Amino acid sequence: MADAIRLRGVSFAFRKGRRTVPVLESFNLSVADGEIVALLGESGQGKSTALSLVSGERVPDGGSVEVLGFDLARMSRDARAQFRLANIAQIYQDFQLLPMLTAVDNVALPLSLRGMPRARATDMARSALADVGMARRLEHRPGELSGGEQQRVAIARAVVCEPKVLLADEPTGSLDADRRDEILNLMLEELRGTTTILVTHDPAVAGRAHRTVLMS
Amino acid sequence: MRQLAVSWRTLASHLRRTELVRDLLVLIAVGTLAAFVVLFTGRVVFDNLVHESSLSYAALVADARPGLGDLAITSYKDGGVAPSSGTDDIAALQRTVDATVLTYGEGELSDAMRLFGGATISGALCDSGIGLDEATAANLSVGVGDEVTLWWPADASARPARVPVCGVLNPWHPEANLGARGYVVTSAALVESMAPGILSSMAGTITAYWFSAVPEASFTKAHVVESVIATNAGWTAFVWLVAFIGVGLWSFGAIRVWNGFRTSLSEPWRVLLGLGVRPALPPLFVLVVVTIMTVLASWASAVIARTFVLSWTSLYVTSQEIWFVAAILGLAALVVSASFVARYVARA
């Protein structure tokens, strides 16, 4: 299978004034098309940073980041944003739902940003929320939902975009043990066949991936 | 465009009304202080510059002999303007505003109207009445069509006379004091008819104006404007220092508002960027919101400061000065906001 994601010799450091904190040095990662790869490691190992490089939100200090055949480091900031909107979905530990929007509006948002008419985007959002078992909570805001329900909405938001790449950063990190497996199963089922990088510090979660990359 | 509309609508839905009102009130409070400082320290220079630049002439020569130039204006500094009842009420004469009386010769009304046309706010000059500066007109609560008393306080033999106000002109304070002096533009014949021989008994300064060709060794309008600035050099340095402090306080207010919005919108801002919104759109939204707020606050601050100045001091503040102050505050806030946008876009 061809590689959908390829990081070669990637290095990245955070800069705060004169201080430089290296996070990634000569980091290599390949993810085949449709493969689920887990990045496993303790906090501070650069897992989330690697995700941000793949999403195009950051550019590496050195090396190359190729996603779906595009070298993101060579793209402009706006081009990377447009690429992310069209091809990549992200699921976060803190859900990152908009607090003043309802569940259906949160899910419809990326579709609207892509230019889809509002009515059609809303219909697709309703359908996606029904698929994740949230049909009765469409008009609720995130503050009115439990953690598990919020993550279901986040999964629906990712699913509705039909992404080519899914980036999941500790998607079950904020959930209790009962909900963890439930949400993980839902996410992997709904996004089956999507090229996925799953960041986690939990070996049990990493075990659900096709392959685990240990970051140290 | 669609992405801009959707992202901005999303950010707008996360604005808190109480925060908007609170920040607007804070801006108005700080802005009023800044506006008052700018008004109080800069208005004389501003008024002089506005007046001089609004006169229509090519060149002038001061202390010229009669007959030179397209128009000769003779200036007498010992005039006085009082309420219309001053012709038979001594108490009214106690409200006299010392005035510089500028006279033009017979048959020169059209040239005088040409010279002062740009400085005329309402009405027009006429041979049977006077043009009066806006500050004195406001002081005496008169307008075009009303009457005032024109007299010569230094000459007991000259009787006060009632004259109609034909036009109101922007204020000019040739003595660079704080607005307690007015000025009158009228025909020499009218003054002589009210008080025969009065003009020949006083020392007047003749200034000649040319409308077209500029004679050698004369002052152009640019020279006069430079002279106004140079004359107020002491004031100017003081003006800049105090105004800088006032505008600096205002800028801190704008920075505070910007940072407040950046904090309260941080969550939707982050989510939108993660979804793939163009990085410049969220900071541009904040720029628009802050700009609208600062424009509103600038205007409100200038009006409140003007009201305060008019109510608590003897100074008169023109509407042009409100625009001047509001423009300074608005520009300062725009510079602050734009620098924040540039910084965020560069970091993104």
Side-chain angles (χ1 to χ4, degrees):
Chain A
M1 282 188 291
D3 287 339
I5 299 171
R6 194 182 304 170
L7 281 71
R8 286 182 179 160
V10 167
S11 58
F12 184 86
F14 284 105
R15 286 172 182 79
K16 186 79 175 176
R18 290 187 178 179
R19 284 184 59 196
T20 300
V21 180
V23 179
L24 294 172
E25 289 184 42
S26 300
F27 179 69
N28 297 301
L29 176 69
S30 294
V31 184
D33 191 25
E35 186 181 19
I36 302 173
V37 172
L39 295 184
L40 179 66
E42 295 301 319
S43 298
Q45 299 297 321
K47 305 186 297 298
S48 298
T49 302
L51 280 194
S52 67
L53 293 172
V54 174
S55 71
E57 290 171 272
R58 294 193 174 103
V59 287
D61 297 326
S64 68
V65 178
E66 287 182 16
V67 180
L68 304 176
F70 291 89
D71 186 347
L72 298 188
R74 292 183 185 275
M75 295 166 74
S76 68
R77 188 166 45 216
D78 281 358
R80 292 200 308 273
Q82 291 302 297
F83 180 84
R84 180 163 64 252
L85 180 62
N87 299 291
I88 298 175
Q90 302 190 72
I91 297 175
Y92 307 88
Q93 178 178 355
D94 60 354
F95 322 125
Q96 289 204 12
L97 299 175
L98 292 167
M100 298 306 290
L101 299 187
T102 61
V104 68
D105 287 338
N106 263 287
V107 174
L109 181 60
L111 298 175
S112 295
L113 289 171
R114 288 179 178 183
M116 186 178 290
R118 192 166 184 172
R120 187 166 164 229
T122 303
D123 284 343
M124 289 183 66
R126 288 175 186 275
S127 176
L129 282 166
D131 288 344
V132 299
M134 291 292 292
R136 293 185 183 179
R137 310 285 261 171
L138 299 178
E139 301 303 324
H140 286 78
R141 289 180 178 173
E144 299 165 344
L145 303 174
S146 68
E149 289 174 331
Q150 290 186 61
Q151 199 61 297
R152 286 174 182 268
V153 174
I155 291 171
R157 184 176 65 185
V159 167
V160 79
C161 296
E162 297 179 346
K164 298 183 177 67
V165 173
L166 171 68
L167 305 175
D169 193 347
E170 304 274 9
T172 58
S174 295
L175 305 176
D176 55 41
D178 292 342
R179 294 279 168 261
R180 200 172 298 159
D181 288 337
E182 179 187 329
I183 293 301
L184 196 56
N185 290 338
L186 180 66
M187 186 185 81
L188 296 176
E189 177 61 33
E190 292 294 322
L191 290 153
R192 184 190 298 274
T194 306
T195 304
T196 302
I197 298 180
L198 173 62
V199 163
T200 183
H201 65 273
D202 186 345
V205 172
R208 302 294 302 274
H210 295 133
R211 181 163 59 94
T212 298
V213 173
L214 187 63
M215 299 198 56
S216 57
Chain B
M1 278 302 293
R2 176 116 177 104
Q3 196 178 113
L4 182 146
V6 172
S7 60
W8 281 21
R9 191 168 60 232
T10 303
L11 289 168
S13 66
H14 288 77
L15 289 174
R16 288 189 278 259
R17 205 171 300 172
T18 51
E19 187 181 343
L20 285 171
V21 172
R22 180 201 66 200
D23 286 343
L24 187 62
L25 291 176
V26 167
L27 278 176
I28 291 174
V30 178
T32 300
L33 178 63
F36 179 76
V37 164
V38 173
L39 268 177
F40 200 80
T41 55
R43 50 184 298 278
V44 171
V45 178
F46 179 75
D47 285 346
N48 287 352
L49 287 174
V50 166
H51 179 80
E52 291 298 335
S53 59
S54 65
L55 299 183
S56 303
Y57 65 91
L60 67 90
V61 174
D63 291 331
R65 284 166 290 169
L68 284 180
D70 298 320
L71 173 67
I73 297 291
T74 308
S75 165
Y76 301 94
K77 292 188 179 178
D78 297 325
V81 181
S84 59
S85 57
T87 52
D88 49 23
D89 181 3
I90 293 181
L93 289 182
Q94 291 177 343
R95 288 183 58 198
T96 291
V97 176
D98 293 334
T100 297
V101 180
L102 307 175
T103 63
Y104 54 89
E106 192 168 341
E108 293 187 325
L109 173 62
S110 61
D111 284 340
M113 289 173 70
R114 183 177 176 183
L115 176 67
F116 289 102
T120 304
I121 297 170
S122 58
L125 298 179
C126 67
D127 282 334
S128 59
I130 65 169
L132 184 64
D133 71 287
E134 184 186 354
T136 305
N139 191 341
L140 300 178
S141 301
V142 297
V144 174
D146 294 328
E147 288 187 326
V148 295
T149 300
L150 180 64
W151 68 302
W152 306 94
D155 189 336
S157 64
R159 296 176 62 82
R162 198 173 295 178
V163 292
V165 176
C166 297
V168 177
L169 298 91
N170 64 35
W172 181 53
H173 306 292
E175 301 302 311
N177 58 28
L178 296 178
R181 187 169 190 84
Y183 78 98
V184 169
V185 181
T186 187
S187 67
L190 178 65
V191 176
E192 280 292 326
S193 70
M194 294 187 310
I198 185 68
L199 296 183
S200 57
S201 69
M202 294 189 299
T205 304
I206 301 174
T207 306
Y209 293 92
W210 276 260
F211 291 118
S212 53
V214 181
E216 291 183 14
S218 64
F219 292 98
T220 63
K221 187 186 297 186
H223 289 134
V224 173
V225 169
E226 285 175 25
S227 171
V228 169
I229 295 173
T231 303
N232 291 278
W235 270 107
T236 302
F238 178 68
V239 163
W240 283 114
L241 176 63
V242 179
F244 180 77
I245 293 173
V247 174
L249 280 174
W250 161 257
S251 298
F252 274 122
I255 290 171
R256 185 195 170 283
V257 170
W258 175 274
N259 282 331
F261 281 125
R262 178 66 186 93
T263 301
S264 64
L265 292 176
S266 61
E267 197 171 353
W269 185 313
R270 185 169 52 119
V271 171
L272 287 171
L273 291 182
L275 288 174
V277 164
R278 284 197 297 278
L281 294 184
L284 281 176
F285 171 79
V286 177
L287 174 65
V288 168
V289 173
V290 173
T291 299
I292 292 173
M293 289 181 67
T294 51
V295 165
L296 289 174
S298 297
W299 184 254
S301 301
V303 170
I304 293 171
R306 179 187 190 229
T307 304
F308 182 82
V309 170
L310 290 176
S311 303
W312 289 87
T313 72
S314 61
L315 304 179
Y316 180 73
V317 180
T318 68
S319 57
Q320 287 169 321
E321 289 170 35
I322 296 179
W323 283 106
F324 161 62
V325 171
I328 287 180
L329 297 184
L331 190 62
L334 191 61
V335 167
V336 166
S337 297
S339 67
F340 271 82
V341 170
R343 197 176 78 169
Y344 278 115
V345 171
R347 275 187 190 174

